[in-house]
Amino acid sequence: MWKLKIGEGNEEDPYLFSSNNFAGRQTWAFDPRAGTAEERAAVEEARRHFLINRSRVKGCSDLLWRMQFLKEAKFEQVIPPVKINGDDGVIYEKATDALRRGVSFFSALQASDGHWPGEITGPLFFLPPLVFCLYITGHLEKVFDEEHRKEMLRHVYCHQNEDGGWGLHIEGKSIMFCTALNYICLRMLGEGPNGGRDNACKRARQWILDRGGVTYIPSWGKIWLSILGIYDWSGTNPMPPEIWLLPSFLPIHLAKTLCYCRMVYMPMSYLYGKRFVGPITPLILQLRDELHLQPYEEINWNKTRRLYAKEDMYFPHPLVQDLVWDALYILVEPVLTRWPLNKLVREKALRLAMKHIHYEDENSHYITIGCVEKVLCMLACWIENPNGDYFKKHLARIPDYMWVAEDGMKMQSFGSQLWDTGFAVQAILASDLSDETGNVLKKGHDYIKKSQVRENPSGDFKSMYRHISKGAWTLSDRDHGWQVSDCTAEALKCCLLLSTMPSEVVGEQLDPEQIYDSVNLLLSFQSENGGMTAWEPVRAYEWIEFLNPTEFLANLVAEREYVECTSSVMQALVLFKQLYPDHRTKEISRSIEKAVQFIENEQTPDGSWYGNWGVCFIYGTWFALGGLAAAGKTYKNSLAMRKGVEFLLRTQKDDGGWGESYLSCPEQRYIPSEGKRSNLVQTAWAIMGLIHAGQAERDPIPLHRAAKLIINSQMENGDFPQQEIVGVFMRNCMIHYATYRNTFPLWALAEYRKATFITHQRLQLP
């Protein structure tokens, strides 16, 4: 059986190191002797249940580690199930019992180091490049044994669409990029050209060929296929590494771009500059024949540069971008690749790109900023020195990315341990069940304190285009190292809230100097318009987004301000100001005022706010109303609050809940979910947004209806059912936060219970 291990390193591995003894590290190991016959049967039943229901619920329930943890905690639900029948109203006792049931279940899922595990997956272009990299380097079977590969195959099969293709994410329609990548992945994992479950390979290949073959794959795919030798570098748009030699004050310099864009194209430019091609094995030669409509040697590669499948084109290239690519291809690249510039300039550029790669690797303990970058940097290190320490350090951190659930083994974006724990702690605090949760809060507090980044990136970090990180929290764990504004704000809120409670219950409070460091970092994210960015201050002009070379994602090139980040930071600063009224008071007050203006200006005409990291307008509206409320805005004194409330009330469904389609994100307009069914996580966001705006005092009936839905949806053991995935990034790609289905319904029930039952009287539904 597969087992989740927490906080484990390997003292005998000289290539694995940590800044805080691996707190928050999550790794999976297979033990063929583990588990009883009953436990193994339960795992198989979970796999079978997911498979037969995958057309209805695409995100897994993340059950394997939950089964393990519940057993280890000897959890037994002792509070009877709560159901509210017919027209019966919600009473305080039932709301309390449902909350206690959920909190007791969720508390049993806390890891030994205090965080809440859970997968953060969903995109279907994460795993294949890792397989490609290990295939090229000859490490595929060394890193992943038969059990690993078996679960990888399971994951690929589980998320193949009926038409034979794979979507950008598990709920998406098939696209060329992910279909080609997953087909090649299947072949490298040992499947034949017509093999795989339910003729998976044959169906996928037919999907590809019906749309013109892999020459129609978008730019990231063209790069990976060029690396593999299934495509030719001359059919890609140039990414000359010489861009790193340009003065950083130039508006097009990668130093000014969003950190994710910078970290992706840094190793890509190295690989392009090297024109690296992996070993041309018999399998690669077969794939050339299988995936192209004409003989490989006869393809006009220059023509294929502009071929893209229509299914992939979320962000078509503007004409100006294609002109830039043509100029680089026709005029610049031929000069840079000829003597003497190929020796004088290109080799210098390649060394500089590699210097940046090593710097980022070291400062993230070889986790890197995310899974797309991880694989590219790892491959670059192998190309530089196949037997070198840099590559070996990369290998040691591969387990940090892998996750196993009932739908198989997948690659995570990079983990959300801190993010999930920050919300979990706030939800449990809101429950006012400290007598039952004291130890849980203490462990969560301890994890958050251990996870704070205590230093800036090493050396002259500004020359490496990095921002300060001292006082930050990351999305995952401290070793990751990358500061995030809303993660820092949510963690800081936890520390501040817990500092008001007895230390013997929740542990010692965070040192004030560490709190000041966090506040300093948060203030640094604010732009002139009052909004807060996510990772770094804005460096690029907005127009640079026209140069976005990634056809299936948007908002990738320039850092920008986000409503959710702004709200989180506002709430943290307001709370800090209350507890530390003499520290940078005027600066903080002005920051909050500017943030209010930004949030008000971002409101859409229908009263909602666009959500950048969750689906979608309900998510953004919850954050916006929370930020405005923290700053003292109310339904009476704020038009924005009133319009936000009207949006939420207008979109409430007949069953009392809310449900929004993920299509709202790419289409940037509110689209309700299909049918009458609500989504419990989105319902929780709406409840909390309405409570922020004082709905309980004006008319609690919408809240009662929504709370009744959540209570009646609770499962027998206190869990909640998995529904549609509700995370998103770069506007077009959905992501699955498996822990959300527990955290937010519990948090909403807790806030509802406090807001509507000031006295414990029965409140009837109409």
Side-chain angles (χ1 to χ4, degrees), residues 559-579:
E559 178 67 284
R560 64 195 63 239
E561 302 82 12
Y562 304 97
V563 166
E564 303 101 301
C565 296
T566 306
S567 172
S568 288
V569 173
M570 284 173 65
Q571 294 177 54
L573 291 178
V574 168
L575 185 54
F576 172 82
K577 186 180 174 186
Q578 293 170 0
L579 298 176

Side-chain angles (χ1 to χ4, degrees), residues 321-552:
Q321 185 183 146
D322 282 333
L323 292 175
V324 170
W325 292 130
D326 288 346
L328 288 170
Y329 188 88
I330 297 169
L331 303 175
V332 177
E333 189 61 15
V335 175
L336 292 174
T337 53
R338 290 197 180 103
W339 190 87
L341 292 185
N342 62 340
K343 292 292 183 182
L344 297 176
V345 179
R346 173 129 304 179
E347 289 188 6
K348 181 180 179 181
L350 289 170
R351 288 194 298 270
L352 181 57
M354 207 67 222
K355 177 183 176 182
H356 280 276
I357 290 169
H358 290 321
Y359 181 84
E360 296 301 336
D361 287 347
E362 285 289 329
N363 278 276
S364 65
H365 298 81
Y366 288 80
I367 298 171
T368 75
I369 196 173
C371 66
V372 174
E373 300 81 359
K374 164 73 176 176
V375 177
L376 291 164
C377 290
M378 180 164 59
L379 181 58
C381 289
W382 181 82
I383 294 168
E384 183 188 46
N385 185 354
N387 298 309
D389 288 354
Y390 296 128
F391 177 64
K392 293 174 183 176
K393 290 177 181 178
H394 265 296
L395 291 176
R397 281 294 189 170
I398 289 175
D400 295 64
Y401 277 95
M402 309 315 294
W403 196 263
V404 185
E406 62 268 29
D407 64 340
M409 174 172 277
K410 66 287 295 268
M411 192 177 193
Q412 301 193 96
S413 64
F414 55 90
S416 57
Q417 299 95 302
L418 188 280
W419 181 245
D420 286 330
T421 299
F423 284 143
V425 167
Q426 291 180 73
I428 292 172
L429 277 171
S431 72
D432 289 336
L433 299 173
S434 57
D435 291 344
E436 302 174 28
T437 60
N439 188 52
V440 175
L441 291 171
K442 191 172 187 177
K443 287 169 61 181
H445 191 195
D446 184 59
Y447 174 72
I448 291 172
K449 289 184 291 185
K450 287 180 179 177
S451 298
Q452 187 183 30
V453 178
R454 302 296 300 278
E455 62 282 316
N456 290 322
S458 63
D460 183 8
F461 60 89
K462 291 185 179 179
S463 71
M464 305 305 284
Y465 319 129
R466 288 292 297 269
H467 187 53
I468 60 174
S469 59
K470 187 178 182 180
W473 278 273
T474 73
L475 189 76
S476 54
D477 57 23
R478 179 171 164 180
D479 283 347
H480 181 258
W482 269 92
Q483 69 284 346
V484 191
S485 62
D486 51 359
C487 298
T488 300
E490 298 298 337
L492 180 59
K493 283 164 61 181
C494 290
C495 292
L496 293 172
L497 290 168
L498 290 164
S499 73
T500 65
M501 300 176 68
S503 59
E504 59 269 20
V505 176
V506 298
E508 296 297 324
Q509 69 182 65
L510 196 66
D511 183 271
E513 287 300 321
Q514 292 175 248
I515 293 176
Y516 298 157
D517 288 339
S518 294
V519 170
N520 179 63
L521 177 72
L522 292 178
L523 291 172
S524 75
F525 289 115
Q526 191 163 40
S527 300
E528 284 298 316
N529 64 6
M532 302 286 179
T533 58
W535 296 278
E536 299 168 328
V538 171
R539 297 171 176 172
Y541 296 105
E542 288 186 20
W543 58 259
I544 203 172
E545 202 65 51
F546 283 103
L547 298 179
N548 175 15
T550 309
E551 297 80 10
F552 52 85

